[in-house]
Amino acid sequence: MISTTIPHHLRRYRKALFSLALLLPFALLLGLALGAYSIPPLAIPQILLRGEGLEYQVLTALRLPRVLGAALVGSLLALAGAVLQGLFRNPLVDPGLIGVSSGAALGAAIFIVLLPGAGPLEAYALPLFAFLGGVLATQVLWWIARTPMGTQVLVLLLSGIALNALVGAAIGLLTFLATEEQLRSLTFWTLGGFSAVTWTTLLSGLPLAFLAWALLLPLTRPLNALVLGEREAFHLGADLEALKRRAVAGAAFGVGVAGGPAGGVGFIGLVAPHLFRLLAGPDHRYLLTGSALLGASLAVLADLLARTVAAPAEVPVGVVTALLGGPFFLYLVLRYKREVYRA
Amino acid sequence: MRPNALWLLAMALVPTAWGQPHRVVDATGKEVVVSSTQRIVSLDGITTEILFALGVGNQVVGRDDSSYYPPEVLRLPSVGYQFRLSAEGILSLRPTLVIGREDVRPPQVVEQLRAAGVTVVLVPTEPTVQGAEAKIRVVAQAVGRQARGEELVRSLERDLLALEAFKAQRAPKGRLRALFLYMRGPQTLFVCGEGATPVGMMVLAGLENAARGIRECQPMTAESVVASQPDVLVTFKKGLDSIGGLPGLLRLPGIAQTPAGQKGKVVAMDDLYLGSFGPRAGKAALDLFRAAYLQEGFVEVVP
């Protein structure tokens, strides 16, 4: 009996991973093919071969970096969400909990309100400030949560809540100081959007994205061990301190670099890991890769909607992720609840 | 043969009308060469207004959300708000010229448009008469209508002379203190001072700025409103609507404790008319002067 059930579960995981690996290129192609500037999708290969003209510019200089940027941001947010949910052993954890999102918002607010008129520098300095803000906030949190006996996850969680409130107050103070125009920039930043993603911003973020992936993706086995509890994981030989350090650092880098160009794109970090668990299961060996793939596709599709529903104008992508992700997520949770009751 | 010759003549004339490149030094101080103005996308309300006043309104193919005057521009597709733009949305209208404020956002959009081969002209935004003239001249040069632009500048100067004559004739005893309130719903209340366009317009209209020491717009506090003791409150029409009209405004904390609040002395004016220093600046200032000095109680100024 047992010998048949285990392969069955594995098959389910593999099938889910395989379909997600197919979904991502499909989403990328769709994102590349559709947009406010109408280009017949079948003409795209020809335009790319020609290598010049306005259509070529739209495809290669505007859509391609944007679609790839959305995928990058989505994968980082989802991966950070999956790892942190595993680390805190709490499915409600969102990457924002370790202070990185609010820290990034504070960095952006400081730049917008206290350093106005940076003009041409803004395109590069705003993402940099957001990234530094996110990483610094997480670093502060890490210092607070560290004890001589190691880092306590509960303390990390509690101080995360306190730090978020504190940073929220600082942002509140800055919004109070902001002029009306700065306030509008700030609100737009917090709603998120990919329209400012260029090749330069994308390529400058890539090394840090690789670092985040390299830190987070190999954490599958210790996270699986941690499911049993901290003490049990320790007895199974997991180096818990190293795990916590890597998970928090990786998530901070990932979410920080994602928040820079895109602003606050909410919900993907929370939803993507859940969706994968509902699709396949909770095994971290598949969950991390699956969440990253799913998050990337979700972000690309959300961005596609954001820039086409009101074309030629654009809806903030954070609004789209929350408006579509919220009800869908609720539906899945309700279905899951029914299944649990039936069992 | 004859129709053919006419056709050739017409073809020869078209390039002189549209094809000649115009040179313009825009708000960034750099020279921009505009090779075609056949399809213009305007990213700013006052720029749109100037384009129509220059007689090239029929070449405007897209606008932003702040462009709603003259009313026919509302038929054009909007590319969104001027501080939240996307290059592809603008490019989808296939513009040959994109023209907007010097502080459009995100700044990458300008780079992206230029990289796609679209000419972008950025218009200065200084809230003074000189700023209004600079705005008109930059837009006029960008579309090759310098002569018409100078006419607009002269007509603006005539309006300003009329304003001065009118002000001198009706010389009020003592100047009124005016406070500009920027409102977007009861939770978003700002007091504007030096550097804000509507305040520049108030000063032009002979009103004294009651908000001393405030740069641009700052969150409104009840006590600062009381301390400034304005004789008249000036607001945008849309702002007043957003807080429930005059009764809503008079209910705001601090307003009742000012001379303006006690007399219900409020001037509400169309947002673009009051808030953008364009070709109608002289007329707007005259209307504001009349409403503040010569009329009692609540006045709504319709352009």
Side-chain angles (χ1 to χ4, degrees), chain B residues 18 32 38 53 55 62 114 131-132 156 159 179 243 247-248 254 263 266 292 300:
Chain B
W18 278 338
V32 182
Q38 271 184 53
R114 284 189 176 142
L156 170 63
D159 288 343
L179 187 68
I243 56 155
K263 282 181 246 149
V266 177
E300 192 184 314

Side-chain angles (χ1 to χ4, degrees), chain B residues 95-109:
Chain B
T96 55
L97 169 65
V98 173
I99 186 161
R101 281 172 62 130
E102 53 186 319
D103 52 355
V104 291
R105 268 162 203 277
Q108 285 95 324
V109 163

